Amino acid sequence: MSFKEWMLERAQHLKPETFEKLMMIIWALWKNRNNVLWEGKAQSVPDLVLSCFTWLTEFQKSRGTGTSTQRSVRPKWKPPTQGFKLNVDAAFLPNQHQGGIGGVLRDSTGQFKAAFFQHVDHAASPKQCELLAIRASLDLLSSLDIQNVCIESDCMEAVYEANCTNYALLANGGLVDDIQAMWSRLQGVTICHTPRTCNAVAHRLAALGFEATIGEVWFDYAPPCIIDVLQHDCAQLL
């Protein structure tokens, strides 16, 4: 029996969800091989597995929205049931190797509490910028001495790495170490994924950070540049 025949024979005995993961890993290995040959770049094993499973999840989400009724239902931002919610986002252009990050803190009634944006002079990837946004959000919470906060990012890979316990081999391992060290000093803080449609205010702030030369921070009173997006989020709660 040839290897191809053996693979096909074994595939018939796999559960559909296991077979899908196997195909994604094979594709990721093939793509990684081509990147090594043509660009001299290689992903680490944790990055490779994480990225291919993230792509699979995104594909399954898009495949599950086949009807017009399902497509019209978009997730909306919701305030936390208690405590606070801090949404973060990042902007990045690979040809310029720079980015911007931003975040907004709101309470359980949707009221604005704080916001920030920063320019990132040197960045290697969108995921690195997202991790920088998470680290900046933890720094903000530390300065405010606020507890019981849900930090939300629309980058699933960054959220996974921020929560990863075995991060030594990750490309951004040093940054994740910073995040977890800051996180350990805070009480009642979680880092979670949220759909992009629930992250509009942070997205606006990240874009402003990309264009800015200096960072900005606001407390208690929202700046005019995000008033419209904040009002849109609140209007959807009615």
Side-chain angles (χ1 to χ4, degrees):
M1 182 182 293
S2 68
F3 178 75
K4 178 181 177 181
E5 292 171 334
W6 177 82
M7 280 286 291
L8 292 173
E9 191 273 334
R10 296 305 304 165
Q12 294 176 5
H13 297 86
L14 295 175
K15 296 179 180 179
E17 57 270 21
T18 304
F19 181 74
E20 290 174 348
K21 291 178 180 179
L22 173 63
M23 291 297 100
M24 288 301 297
I25 290 174
I26 292 174
W27 175 80
L29 289 170
W30 173 81
K31 183 174 181 290
N32 194 50
R33 169 190 172 277
N34 287 343
N35 286 340
V36 173
L37 289 175
W38 302 110
E39 299 180 16
K41 298 178 181 178
Q43 282 184 296
S44 65
V45 173
D47 274 350
L48 186 146
V49 174
L50 173 62
S51 60
C52 72
F53 284 173
T54 301
W55 293 329
L56 176 60
T57 301
E58 294 297 324
F59 171 74
Q60 289 170 336
K61 286 181 180 178
S62 64
R63 186 178 60 179
T65 56
T67 65
S68 58
T69 303
Q70 289 175 315
R71 282 196 299 267
S72 64
V73 178
R74 302 177 62 192
K76 301 175 182 178
W77 180 85
K78 294 180 180 179
T81 54
Q82 58 181 357
F84 302 85
K85 181 175 287 188
L86 205 173
N87 289 84
V88 298
D89 202 3
F92 174 77
L93 283 181
N95 60 331
Q96 297 187 27
H97 297 288
Q98 59 181 331
I101 60 176
V104 57
L105 177 68
R106 287 170 282 187
D107 64 16
S108 57
T109 66
Q111 292 298 308
F112 174 89
K113 291 299 178 183
F116 72 90
F117 69 61
Q118 296 176 20
H119 184 77
V120 179
D121 290 319
H122 305 287
S125 68
K127 181 171 62 178
Q128 184 187 57
C129 284
E130 295 281 355
L131 288 168
L132 288 170
I134 292 173
R135 187 177 68 177
S137 70
L138 291 168
D139 190 41
L140 177 68
L141 295 179
S142 179
S143 67
L144 293 173
D145 194 24
I146 290 180
Q147 301 180 3
N148 196 13
V149 182
C150 176
I151 298 173
E152 289 188 340
S153 165
D154 58 28
C155 179
M156 189 178 297
E157 292 185 25
V159 170
Y160 174 85
E161 291 196 2
N163 284 276
C164 186
T165 55
N166 185 18
Y167 53 82
L169 297 178
L170 297 177
N172 296 297
L175 182 52
V176 175
D177 185 59
D178 286 348
I179 288 171
Q180 297 203 3
M182 297 175 68
W183 192 359
S184 66
R185 295 192 289 268
L186 299 171
Q187 298 294 322
V189 175
T190 58
I191 301 175
C192 307
H193 176 259
T194 190
R196 187 167 298 179
T197 53
C198 303
N199 218 26
V201 182
H203 182 76
R204 171 78 62 84
L205 288 163
L208 292 169
F210 184 88
E211 299 293 339
T213 55
I214 59 172
E216 294 281 353
V217 183
W218 299 271
F219 300 103
D220 298 326
Y221 298 99
C225 56
I226 59 171
I227 290 290
D228 59 323
V229 211
L230 287 168
Q231 291 176 339
H232 181 264
D233 277 353
C234 289
Q236 294 184 111
L237 302 177
L238 303 177

